[in-house]
Amino acid sequence: MRAGGRRPPLSKDTRLCISLAGRPSNIGTRFHNHLYEVLGLDFVYKAFTTTDIVAAMAGVRALGIRGCSVSMPFKEDVLSLVDEVEPSASAIQAVNTIVNDDGRLTASNTDYLAVQQLIDEHGLTTQQTVLIRGSGGMASAVGSAFADRGFASGVVVARNPVAGPALADRLGYEYAGDVGARTADVIVNVTPIGMAGGTEEHDVAFADETIRRAHTVFDVVALPSETPLITAARAAGVDVITGAQVIALQAAEQFERYTGVRPTPEQIAEASALSRA
């Protein structure tokens, strides 16, 4: 590490971290490389995709790639390709972070860890009820984070008649095909509703009455950080947790695992804002 920042010039000793995704983005690349520069770390980060995840993971191991962020559709496929699976990933059978220690690959899920941290930071209590809209991989991470923290009363709302009931059953929650008149202390959107560029980018994931009756509104959508749901919740005076907070915390956890350095909250916030610009 260089005092006062400024990443050392690239050399044979520079350590490589990568991401593997079906649809790579610049978010992780900008986040990590910005912090390498600020903290003066001899690392570089690059996004990749692949059609052969088995060969890609063999490359991570053989080439000494220090860290690997894993996104859809590879989060489950890599479970059998690593040496150790930490509880954060085994709890939901999905990986988003792999650390390579001299050829030994350890997998974790920092989405799960970030959600649990936000539960604690926002003072949510296990007596509160939870309503989760969505049944995909991220919904599994969010739901497991709540259930494993001791939130016993919850509902999974999902249109998928297979994945929805399966997730609800695993969490010990109820299942519903639509929100209807349901309310909860904590309502969570884990669908693409409100996502920039999507077909529902201007829609709100929950009705006004559901929002007003909630204690906390949590939207996992990160782009934009101020989704229509978050905007509506702020207008109603309801506490919010944003997708931008999730993505920043999970990336910071990855960063620390890869480099051994934990950025300050201010550095994390700055890198997160730059990554989404």
PDB file of all heavy atoms in Angstrom, residues 17-42:
ATOM      1  N   CYS A  17      -8.194  -9.129  -9.573  1.00  0.00           N
ATOM      2  CA  CYS A  17      -9.516  -9.569  -9.137  1.00  0.00           C
ATOM      3  C   CYS A  17     -10.462  -9.399 -10.318  1.00  0.00           C
ATOM      4  O   CYS A  17     -10.296  -8.482 -11.122  1.00  0.00           O
ATOM      5  CB  CYS A  17     -10.009  -8.742  -7.950  1.00  0.00           C
ATOM      6  SG  CYS A  17      -9.044  -8.980  -6.433  1.00  0.00           S
ATOM      7  N   ILE A  18     -11.458 -10.275 -10.411  1.00  0.00           N
ATOM      8  CA  ILE A  18     -12.351 -10.249 -11.561  1.00  0.00           C
ATOM      9  C   ILE A  18     -13.797 -10.433 -11.119  1.00  0.00           C
ATOM     10  O   ILE A  18     -14.083 -10.774  -9.972  1.00  0.00           O
ATOM     11  CB  ILE A  18     -11.994 -11.345 -12.587  1.00  0.00           C
ATOM     12  CG1 ILE A  18     -12.322 -12.743 -12.038  1.00  0.00           C
ATOM     13  CG2 ILE A  18     -10.526 -11.265 -13.002  1.00  0.00           C
ATOM     14  CD1 ILE A  18     -12.227 -13.857 -13.067  1.00  0.00           C
ATOM     15  N   SER A  19     -14.698 -10.201 -12.070  1.00  0.00           N
ATOM     16  CA  SER A  19     -16.094 -10.596 -11.893  1.00  0.00           C
ATOM     17  C   SER A  19     -16.467 -11.506 -13.043  1.00  0.00           C
ATOM     18  O   SER A  19     -15.946 -11.381 -14.152  1.00  0.00           O
ATOM     19  CB  SER A  19     -17.021  -9.379 -11.855  1.00  0.00           C
ATOM     20  OG  SER A  19     -17.015  -8.699 -13.095  1.00  0.00           O
ATOM     21  N   LEU A  20     -17.369 -12.437 -12.769  1.00  0.00           N
ATOM     22  CA  LEU A  20     -17.924 -13.325 -13.788  1.00  0.00           C
ATOM     23  C   LEU A  20     -19.434 -13.176 -13.773  1.00  0.00           C
ATOM     24  O   LEU A  20     -20.074 -13.420 -12.750  1.00  0.00           O
ATOM     25  CB  LEU A  20     -17.540 -14.784 -13.508  1.00  0.00           C
ATOM     26  CG  LEU A  20     -16.079 -15.166 -13.737  1.00  0.00           C
ATOM     27  CD1 LEU A  20     -15.813 -16.583 -13.237  1.00  0.00           C
ATOM     28  CD2 LEU A  20     -15.727 -15.055 -15.216  1.00  0.00           C
ATOM     29  N   ALA A  21     -19.991 -12.741 -14.889  1.00  0.00           N
ATOM     30  CA  ALA A  21     -21.429 -12.503 -14.968  1.00  0.00           C
ATOM     31  C   ALA A  21     -21.923 -12.818 -16.373  1.00  0.00           C
ATOM     32  O   ALA A  21     -21.169 -12.704 -17.350  1.00  0.00           O
ATOM     33  CB  ALA A  21     -21.752 -11.053 -14.624  1.00  0.00           C
ATOM     34  N   GLY A  22     -23.179 -13.179 -16.469  1.00  0.00           N
ATOM     35  CA  GLY A  22     -23.772 -13.378 -17.777  1.00  0.00           C
ATOM     36  C   GLY A  22     -23.858 -12.074 -18.546  1.00  0.00           C
ATOM     37  O   GLY A  22     -23.693 -12.045 -19.768  1.00  0.00           O
ATOM     38  N   ARG A  23     -24.098 -10.986 -17.823  1.00  0.00           N
ATOM     39  CA  ARG A  23     -24.167  -9.647 -18.427  1.00  0.00           C
ATOM     40  C   ARG A  23     -23.297  -8.700 -17.598  1.00  0.00           C
ATOM     41  O   ARG A  23     -23.782  -8.035 -16.686  1.00  0.00           O
ATOM     42  CB  ARG A  23     -25.622  -9.167 -18.453  1.00  0.00           C
ATOM     43  CG  ARG A  23     -26.551 -10.032 -19.304  1.00  0.00           C
ATOM     44  CD  ARG A  23     -27.995  -9.614 -19.165  1.00  0.00           C
ATOM     45  NE  ARG A  23     -28.205  -8.238 -19.581  1.00  0.00           N
ATOM     46  CZ  ARG A  23     -29.345  -7.565 -19.431  1.00  0.00           C
ATOM     47  NH1 ARG A  23     -30.375  -8.178 -18.821  1.00  0.00           N
ATOM     48  NH2 ARG A  23     -29.480  -6.340 -19.845  1.00  0.00           N
ATOM     49  N   PRO A  24     -22.006  -8.631 -17.881  1.00  0.00           N
ATOM     50  CA  PRO A  24     -21.092  -7.805 -17.080  1.00  0.00           C
ATOM     51  C   PRO A  24     -21.488  -6.337 -17.107  1.00  0.00           C
ATOM     52  O   PRO A  24     -21.992  -5.827 -18.104  1.00  0.00           O
ATOM     53  CB  PRO A  24     -19.734  -8.014 -17.767  1.00  0.00           C
ATOM     54  CG  PRO A  24     -19.879  -9.279 -18.551  1.00  0.00           C
ATOM     55  CD  PRO A  24     -21.309  -9.335 -18.975  1.00  0.00           C
ATOM     56  N   SER A  25     -21.232  -5.663 -15.997  1.00  0.00           N
ATOM     57  CA  SER A  25     -21.464  -4.217 -15.916  1.00  0.00           C
ATOM     58  C   SER A  25     -20.176  -3.546 -15.456  1.00  0.00           C
ATOM     59  O   SER A  25     -19.184  -4.209 -15.141  1.00  0.00           O
ATOM     60  CB  SER A  25     -22.588  -3.894 -14.933  1.00  0.00           C
ATOM     61  OG  SER A  25     -22.132  -3.992 -13.599  1.00  0.00           O
ATOM     62  N   ASN A  26     -20.210  -2.222 -15.395  1.00  0.00           N
ATOM     63  CA  ASN A  26     -19.047  -1.461 -14.955  1.00  0.00           C
ATOM     64  C   ASN A  26     -19.072  -1.136 -13.464  1.00  0.00           C
ATOM     65  O   ASN A  26     -18.133  -0.512 -12.955  1.00  0.00           O
ATOM     66  CB  ASN A  26     -18.956  -0.148 -15.736  1.00  0.00           C
ATOM     67  CG  ASN A  26     -18.531  -0.365 -17.171  1.00  0.00           C
ATOM     68  OD1 ASN A  26     -17.658  -1.178 -17.452  1.00  0.00           O
ATOM     69  ND2 ASN A  26     -19.154   0.356 -18.094  1.00  0.00           N
ATOM     70  N   ILE A  27     -20.126  -1.537 -12.757  1.00  0.00           N
ATOM     71  CA  ILE A  27     -20.280  -1.117 -11.364  1.00  0.00           C
ATOM     72  C   ILE A  27     -19.123  -1.614 -10.498  1.00  0.00           C
ATOM     73  O   ILE A  27     -18.447  -0.844  -9.825  1.00  0.00           O
ATOM     74  CB  ILE A  27     -21.633  -1.583 -10.802  1.00  0.00           C
ATOM     75  CG1 ILE A  27     -22.785  -0.847 -11.503  1.00  0.00           C
ATOM     76  CG2 ILE A  27     -21.695  -1.339  -9.299  1.00  0.00           C
ATOM     77  CD1 ILE A  27     -24.154  -1.293 -11.063  1.00  0.00           C
ATOM     78  N   GLY A  28     -18.877  -2.927 -10.515  1.00  0.00           N
ATOM     79  CA  GLY A  28     -17.797  -3.466  -9.700  1.00  0.00           C
ATOM     80  C   GLY A  28     -16.434  -2.970 -10.144  1.00  0.00           C
ATOM     81  O   GLY A  28     -15.565  -2.673  -9.320  1.00  0.00           O
ATOM     82  N   THR A  29     -16.246  -2.873 -11.459  1.00  0.00           N
ATOM     83  CA  THR A  29     -14.967  -2.405 -11.997  1.00  0.00           C
ATOM     84  C   THR A  29     -14.650  -1.009 -11.494  1.00  0.00           C
ATOM     85  O   THR A  29     -13.531  -0.725 -11.044  1.00  0.00           O
ATOM     86  CB  THR A  29     -15.016  -2.416 -13.535  1.00  0.00           C
ATOM     87  OG1 THR A  29     -15.309  -3.744 -13.979  1.00  0.00           O
ATOM     88  CG2 THR A  29     -13.696  -1.978 -14.128  1.00  0.00           C
ATOM     89  N   ARG A  30     -15.622  -0.116 -11.555  1.00  0.00           N
ATOM     90  CA  ARG A  30     -15.410   1.253 -11.090  1.00  0.00           C
ATOM     91  C   ARG A  30     -15.201   1.309  -9.581  1.00  0.00           C
ATOM     92  O   ARG A  30     -14.335   2.028  -9.080  1.00  0.00           O
ATOM     93  CB  ARG A  30     -16.599   2.122 -11.486  1.00  0.00           C
ATOM     94  CG  ARG A  30     -16.725   2.361 -12.982  1.00  0.00           C
ATOM     95  CD  ARG A  30     -18.048   3.016 -13.304  1.00  0.00           C
ATOM     96  NE  ARG A  30     -18.184   3.336 -14.716  1.00  0.00           N
ATOM     97  CZ  ARG A  30     -19.340   3.663 -15.295  1.00  0.00           C
ATOM     98  NH1 ARG A  30     -20.452   3.704 -14.577  1.00  0.00           N
ATOM     99  NH2 ARG A  30     -19.377   3.937 -16.589  1.00  0.00           N
ATOM    100  N   PHE A  31     -16.015   0.549  -8.837  1.00  0.00           N
ATOM    101  CA  PHE A  31     -15.938   0.560  -7.376  1.00  0.00           C
ATOM    102  C   PHE A  31     -14.556   0.125  -6.909  1.00  0.00           C
ATOM    103  O   PHE A  31     -13.881   0.839  -6.148  1.00  0.00           O
ATOM    104  CB  PHE A  31     -17.020  -0.372  -6.806  1.00  0.00           C
ATOM    105  CG  PHE A  31     -17.079  -0.412  -5.301  1.00  0.00           C
ATOM    106  CD1 PHE A  31     -17.943   0.399  -4.603  1.00  0.00           C
ATOM    107  CD2 PHE A  31     -16.269  -1.287  -4.583  1.00  0.00           C
ATOM    108  CE1 PHE A  31     -18.013   0.369  -3.217  1.00  0.00           C
ATOM    109  CE2 PHE A  31     -16.320  -1.332  -3.197  1.00  0.00           C
ATOM    110  CZ  PHE A  31     -17.190  -0.506  -2.514  1.00  0.00           C
ATOM    111  N   HIS A  32     -14.122  -1.040  -7.335  1.00  0.00           N
ATOM    112  CA  HIS A  32     -12.868  -1.596  -6.839  1.00  0.00           C
ATOM    113  C   HIS A  32     -11.656  -0.798  -7.322  1.00  0.00           C
ATOM    114  O   HIS A  32     -10.753  -0.478  -6.525  1.00  0.00           O
ATOM    115  CB  HIS A  32     -12.745  -3.056  -7.250  1.00  0.00           C
ATOM    116  CG  HIS A  32     -13.670  -3.968  -6.509  1.00  0.00           C
ATOM    117  ND1 HIS A  32     -13.331  -4.575  -5.321  1.00  0.00           N
ATOM    118  CD2 HIS A  32     -14.939  -4.358  -6.775  1.00  0.00           C
ATOM    119  CE1 HIS A  32     -14.345  -5.308  -4.885  1.00  0.00           C
ATOM    120  NE2 HIS A  32     -15.329  -5.193  -5.748  1.00  0.00           N
ATOM    121  N   ASN A  33     -11.616  -0.476  -8.598  1.00  0.00           N
ATOM    122  CA  ASN A  33     -10.446   0.242  -9.108  1.00  0.00           C
ATOM    123  C   ASN A  33     -10.312   1.635  -8.504  1.00  0.00           C
ATOM    124  O   ASN A  33      -9.197   2.117  -8.279  1.00  0.00           O
ATOM    125  CB  ASN A  33     -10.497   0.317 -10.638  1.00  0.00           C
ATOM    126  CG  ASN A  33     -10.105  -0.995 -11.287  1.00  0.00           C
ATOM    127  OD1 ASN A  33      -9.131  -1.631 -10.902  1.00  0.00           O
ATOM    128  ND2 ASN A  33     -10.876  -1.429 -12.281  1.00  0.00           N
ATOM    129  N   HIS A  34     -11.448   2.281  -8.234  1.00  0.00           N
ATOM    130  CA  HIS A  34     -11.379   3.586  -7.565  1.00  0.00           C
ATOM    131  C   HIS A  34     -10.735   3.459  -6.194  1.00  0.00           C
ATOM    132  O   HIS A  34      -9.852   4.262  -5.835  1.00  0.00           O
ATOM    133  CB  HIS A  34     -12.781   4.184  -7.428  1.00  0.00           C
ATOM    134  CG  HIS A  34     -12.821   5.414  -6.576  1.00  0.00           C
ATOM    135  ND1 HIS A  34     -12.367   6.647  -7.002  1.00  0.00           N
ATOM    136  CD2 HIS A  34     -13.229   5.602  -5.284  1.00  0.00           C
ATOM    137  CE1 HIS A  34     -12.509   7.531  -6.039  1.00  0.00           C
ATOM    138  NE2 HIS A  34     -13.029   6.927  -4.986  1.00  0.00           N
ATOM    139  N   LEU A  35     -11.138   2.445  -5.435  1.00  0.00           N
ATOM    140  CA  LEU A  35     -10.583   2.282  -4.093  1.00  0.00           C
ATOM    141  C   LEU A  35      -9.127   1.826  -4.128  1.00  0.00           C
ATOM    142  O   LEU A  35      -8.339   2.188  -3.243  1.00  0.00           O
ATOM    143  CB  LEU A  35     -11.438   1.302  -3.288  1.00  0.00           C
ATOM    144  CG  LEU A  35     -12.796   1.853  -2.847  1.00  0.00           C
ATOM    145  CD1 LEU A  35     -13.635   0.771  -2.183  1.00  0.00           C
ATOM    146  CD2 LEU A  35     -12.633   3.044  -1.906  1.00  0.00           C
ATOM    147  N   TYR A  36      -8.746   1.034  -5.133  1.00  0.00           N
ATOM    148  CA  TYR A  36      -7.324   0.680  -5.259  1.00  0.00           C
ATOM    149  C   TYR A  36      -6.495   1.956  -5.414  1.00  0.00           C
ATOM    150  O   TYR A  36      -5.414   2.084  -4.836  1.00  0.00           O
ATOM    151  CB  TYR A  36      -7.079  -0.216  -6.472  1.00  0.00           C
ATOM    152  CG  TYR A  36      -7.773  -1.554  -6.460  1.00  0.00           C
ATOM    153  CD1 TYR A  36      -8.077  -2.197  -7.662  1.00  0.00           C
ATOM    154  CD2 TYR A  36      -8.132  -2.198  -5.274  1.00  0.00           C
ATOM    155  CE1 TYR A  36      -8.702  -3.429  -7.676  1.00  0.00           C
ATOM    156  CE2 TYR A  36      -8.761  -3.430  -5.279  1.00  0.00           C
ATOM    157  CZ  TYR A  36      -9.055  -4.038  -6.497  1.00  0.00           C
ATOM    158  OH  TYR A  36      -9.676  -5.255  -6.516  1.00  0.00           O
ATOM    159  N   GLU A  37      -7.007   2.875  -6.215  1.00  0.00           N
ATOM    160  CA  GLU A  37      -6.292   4.129  -6.449  1.00  0.00           C
ATOM    161  C   GLU A  37      -6.239   4.973  -5.180  1.00  0.00           C
ATOM    162  O   GLU A  37      -5.180   5.476  -4.786  1.00  0.00           O
ATOM    163  CB  GLU A  37      -6.969   4.909  -7.573  1.00  0.00           C
ATOM    164  CG  GLU A  37      -6.288   6.216  -7.953  1.00  0.00           C
ATOM    165  CD  GLU A  37      -4.965   6.002  -8.657  1.00  0.00           C
ATOM    166  OE1 GLU A  37      -4.763   4.926  -9.261  1.00  0.00           O
ATOM    167  OE2 GLU A  37      -4.122   6.917  -8.585  1.00  0.00           O
ATOM    168  N   VAL A  38      -7.384   5.121  -4.514  1.00  0.00           N
ATOM    169  CA  VAL A  38      -7.458   5.951  -3.303  1.00  0.00           C
ATOM    170  C   VAL A  38      -6.553   5.406  -2.205  1.00  0.00           C
ATOM    171  O   VAL A  38      -5.877   6.161  -1.492  1.00  0.00           O
ATOM    172  CB  VAL A  38      -8.922   6.027  -2.811  1.00  0.00           C
ATOM    173  CG1 VAL A  38      -9.002   6.619  -1.406  1.00  0.00           C
ATOM    174  CG2 VAL A  38      -9.758   6.856  -3.774  1.00  0.00           C
ATOM    175  N   LEU A  39      -6.528   4.067  -2.073  1.00  0.00           N
ATOM    176  CA  LEU A  39      -5.794   3.438  -0.974  1.00  0.00           C
ATOM    177  C   LEU A  39      -4.380   3.020  -1.366  1.00  0.00           C
ATOM    178  O   LEU A  39      -3.633   2.488  -0.527  1.00  0.00           O
ATOM    179  CB  LEU A  39      -6.578   2.221  -0.470  1.00  0.00           C
ATOM    180  CG  LEU A  39      -7.936   2.561   0.147  1.00  0.00           C
ATOM    181  CD1 LEU A  39      -8.769   1.300   0.351  1.00  0.00           C
ATOM    182  CD2 LEU A  39      -7.759   3.289   1.471  1.00  0.00           C
ATOM    183  N   GLY A  40      -4.003   3.236  -2.627  1.00  0.00           N
ATOM    184  CA  GLY A  40      -2.649   2.909  -3.060  1.00  0.00           C
ATOM    185  C   GLY A  40      -2.351   1.428  -3.062  1.00  0.00           C
ATOM    186  O   GLY A  40      -1.244   1.000  -2.701  1.00  0.00           O
ATOM    187  N   LEU A  41      -3.314   0.613  -3.487  1.00  0.00           N
ATOM    188  CA  LEU A  41      -3.168  -0.840  -3.470  1.00  0.00           C
ATOM    189  C   LEU A  41      -2.768  -1.359  -4.848  1.00  0.00           C
ATOM    190  O   LEU A  41      -3.300  -0.917  -5.865  1.00  0.00           O
ATOM    191  CB  LEU A  41      -4.472  -1.499  -3.029  1.00  0.00           C
ATOM    192  CG  LEU A  41      -4.965  -1.134  -1.620  1.00  0.00           C
ATOM    193  CD1 LEU A  41      -6.330  -1.744  -1.371  1.00  0.00           C
ATOM    194  CD2 LEU A  41      -3.969  -1.602  -0.574  1.00  0.00           C
ATOM    195  N   ASP A  42      -1.873  -2.336  -4.869  1.00  0.00           N
ATOM    196  CA  ASP A  42      -1.357  -2.886  -6.125  1.00  0.00           C
ATOM    197  C   ASP A  42      -2.281  -3.999  -6.627  1.00  0.00           C
ATOM    198  O   ASP A  42      -1.920  -5.179  -6.651  1.00  0.00           O
ATOM    199  CB  ASP A  42       0.064  -3.403  -5.914  1.00  0.00           C
ATOM    200  CG  ASP A  42       0.793  -3.663  -7.241  1.00  0.00           C
ATOM    201  OD1 ASP A  42       0.265  -3.279  -8.297  1.00  0.00           O
ATOM    202  OD2 ASP A  42       1.883  -4.258  -7.195  1.00  0.00           O
TER     203      ASP A  42
END
